[in-house]
Amino acid sequence: QSEIDKVTALPQDIFVRNDWDTAMQMGVEIIGLMTIIGGALAVLLTGFTIYSSTVRRESELAVLKALGFRNRSIYASVMLQAGVHAVLGFLFAYGLVLVFIPLITYFVPQVTLHITGSALLRVFSVALSVALLACLLPVRRIVGIDPVLAFRS
């Protein structure tokens, strides 16, 4: 540390550590916790939406099974639809981000928001993975159905 006319200069590592400590005192932990909760909620909503969408189509898929479609074709069809839902949901959410970041920056200029490509890739990967996993349980049950039972309901 050195002083020049009532100015204190700090080495970069000390300055960054002081800045980090100040940020932590200002509630970054709370924001981090809110981010984790929001992410968990997004995962649950994505999984439930895809799962319920697949369950609603259970009888249609059972009819396909009864008509002789291979299990692989049924899995591929459902997984493709789940993937399309995940991609569309991600694009919609990304569109909202593109709209809200400038609005937040305009109304609260003290806040700087920046979304990295790696963060987008992580979110997309999680959304796609959750969607594909969520559709597997109902499809697995459907492909195990006796084809005759598909026409009873």
Side-chain angles (χ1 to χ4, degrees):
Q1 294 185 19
S2 62
E3 292 188 27
I4 302 172
D5 292 334
K6 298 182 183 181
V7 174
T8 303
L10 298 174
Q12 183 178 4
D13 60 332
I14 295 173
F15 178 78
V16 168
R17 188 175 55 235
N18 289 346
D19 205 31
W20 177 260
D21 292 341
T22 302
M24 287 297 141
Q25 292 170 359
M26 292 173 48
V28 171
E29 297 108 347
I30 294 171
I31 293 172
L33 182 61
M34 289 171 48
T35 301
I36 291 170
I37 291 170
L41 183 61
V43 165
L44 289 172
L45 287 173
T46 301
F48 179 73
T49 301
I50 299 298
Y51 177 83
S52 64
S53 171
T54 306
V55 168
R56 278 195 307 261
R57 294 186 5 256
E58 206 169 60
S59 60
E60 298 165 16
L61 295 169
V63 168
L64 291 177
K65 169 85 171 158
L67 292 174
F69 280 77
R70 291 183 174 174
N71 291 348
R72 183 175 40 181
S73 298
I74 295 172
Y75 272 110
S77 171
V78 171
M79 291 178 80
L80 177 65
Q81 289 175 356
V84 168
H85 282 244
V87 169
L88 291 175
F90 173 80
L91 291 174
F92 178 72
Y94 183 59
L96 288 176
V97 166
L98 292 177
V99 168
F100 280 104
I101 284 181
L103 286 174
I104 291 170
T105 304
Y106 177 76
F107 288 111
V108 188
Q110 301 87 352
V111 173
T112 302
L113 298 174
H114 178 71
I115 306 295
T116 63
S118 63
L120 288 173
L121 184 60
R122 281 193 310 268
V123 169
F124 178 73
S125 299
V126 169
L128 189 59
S129 299
V130 168
L132 293 176
L133 289 173
C135 75
L136 288 180
L137 186 63
V139 162
R140 191 165 174 232
R141 188 173 57 235
I142 291 164
V143 298
I145 290 177
D146 180 14
V148 176
L149 296 177
F151 293 109
R152 287 193 180 167
S153 57

